[in-house]
Amino acid sequence: SPLSIRELDAETAVPFIRAYHYSKVLPRLNKYFLGIYRDGELSGVVTLGWGTQPLQTIQKLFPRHALLTAHYLEIGKMCFLPSENGNGYFGSLALSALIKWVREHTGCLFLYTLADGIMGKCGYVYQAANFRYLGSFTTSVYRDRETGEKIHPRSTGKLLLENADFDGVKKRHWLSYGFCESKGIDKINGRMFRYIYPLTKKAKGILAQYPEYQKLPHPKDKDLHFAVRVGERQYREIPPPRFNRDAHRYNPQQFNSLEVNDHEAVQSP
């Protein structure tokens, strides 16, 4: 049956995401919370907004055009009921309904998204929905060795203060190797895959002017790469890492409030 999309309030959307999404960290810059309904039942939730650098993201993608934040929306979170997970057909239907909704309710040129390669996701659902693949970049997360908790770089404020004190410096932007060893924390590198969907004829015209984005081969499982830090600026390749989504030593606020945090893939230095 066809799917319908309706706007939700945060009080309905956030608990659904916390229950069914693999990452409980939510984007901070949300413009829309959308519910995906099948036969009247809330079967999925999508957040649309921007990452931590909204203007830089679109201008980096299309440097020869003076595009602004208002010209695109980013899929921050997309998750479905467990009964629909693994159902590529449902995912394609959901994206088709989402594209139609964004066209009808916004003046955006593009719908942008990232597939989280660190979680083993290449973006097959976006490939099936005819999103254009724009390439990948390396990103990093931390993992607590004891609990398996995934610690996003945007959630490390307190740890960075502790790290600066540990190293005897004023400020740290990334957790240092020595500090992580003292805390039993691994730094893991993986890939993020960029996808974009042109919503208008103008958007298609803009995309056509960037030959570097034409006919890029879609990433597959073999294109996933993972490495763990084993020394200062030293990494060793590892199999796909596992994370414990229920551990919350470092992110307790995600479990007991509707507070939303930055969650944008951060390119490694």
Side-chain angles (χ1 to χ4, degrees):
S1 58
L3 305 182
S4 60
I5 289 189
R6 298 202 292 273
E7 278 198 66
L8 298 175
D9 54 34
E11 288 71 27
T12 304
V14 173
F16 188 100
I17 293 166
R18 293 259 159 84
Y20 300 122
H21 200 278
Y22 63 81
S23 170
K24 295 182 183 349
V25 184
L26 282 150
R28 186 183 61 178
L29 301 172
N30 297 293
K31 188 171 174 69
Y32 301 105
F33 292 101
L34 301 176
I36 302 167
Y37 290 84
R38 193 219 283 263
D39 299 325
E41 180 187 15
L42 181 61
S43 302
V45 167
V46 178
T47 69
L48 296 178
W50 301 276
T52 53
Q53 298 174 314
L55 189 58
Q56 187 182 332
T57 296
I58 194 70
Q59 293 188 346
K60 202 171 175 182
L61 288 173
F62 303 111
R64 298 189 296 279
H65 290 79
L67 296 181
L68 303 171
T69 306
H71 289 126
Y72 82 106
L73 282 166
E74 179 173 343
I75 298 173
K77 293 288 186 192
M78 182 171 69
C79 59
F80 310 132
L81 288 176
S83 57
E84 306 294 359
N85 269 338
N87 179 351
Y89 179 65
F90 183 85
S92 292
L93 284 179
L95 281 172
S96 177
L98 178 65
I99 288 163
K100 184 182 177 192
W101 189 93
V102 174
R103 275 192 175 126
E104 289 175 355
H105 293 85
T106 78
C108 289
L109 293 172
F110 295 102
L111 183 59
Y112 174 70
T113 191
L114 292 166
D116 197 346
I118 263 190
M119 299 303 294
K121 297 179 181 296
C122 304
Y124 291 130
V125 69
Y126 303 118
Q127 295 172 21
N130 293 318
F131 276 64
R132 182 72 62 84
Y133 174 57
L134 302 183
S136 68
F137 60 87
T138 298
T139 186
S140 301
V141 297
Y142 301 101
R143 182 178 62 181
D144 184 345
R145 288 177 195 158
E146 185 183 340
T147 66
E149 179 181 4
K150 179 183 174 187
I151 312 164
H152 194 274
R154 297 285 177 199
S155 304
T156 55
K158 287 180 182 175
L159 284 170
L160 287 169
L161 291 173
E162 194 180 332
N163 193 161
D165 192 47
F166 180 90
D167 289 340
V169 296
K170 278 189 175 179
K171 198 167 189 178
R172 278 274 180 241
H173 297 285
W174 287 84
L175 301 180
S176 65
Y177 175 70
F179 176 73
C180 283
E181 283 301 293
S182 78
K183 300 285 285 188
I185 292 172
D186 284 323
K187 183 181 180 186
I188 296 171
N189 282 354
R191 286 182 173 167
M192 298 297 276
F193 302 99
R194 296 186 182 97
Y195 290 90
I196 206 159
Y197 194 97
L199 296 163
T200 67
K201 194 173 178 181
K202 180 182 176 181
K204 287 178 182 173
I206 291 170
L207 197 51
Q209 293 177 51
Y210 290 81
E212 60 268 39
Y213 297 146
Q214 309 307 315
K215 297 183 179 175
L216 284 177
H218 285 159
K220 304 298 179 191
D221 287 354
K222 66 179 174 58
D223 299 304
L224 295 165
H225 290 285
F226 309 94
V228 66
R229 182 168 61 177
V230 294
E232 287 290 351
R233 298 185 178 276
Q234 294 178 298
Y235 288 83
R236 172 175 53 82
E237 283 202 21
I238 56 169
R242 292 188 176 185
F243 299 95
N244 177 4
R245 72 192 293 275
D246 296 316
H248 49 95
R249 176 185 290 175
Y250 292 103
N251 295 300
Q253 78 285 353
Q254 297 167 24
F255 288 77
N256 54 28
S257 78
L258 291 180
E259 180 184 338
V260 290
N261 300 301
D262 294 359
H263 180 60
E264 157 88 328
V266 184
Q267 286 190 253
S268 292

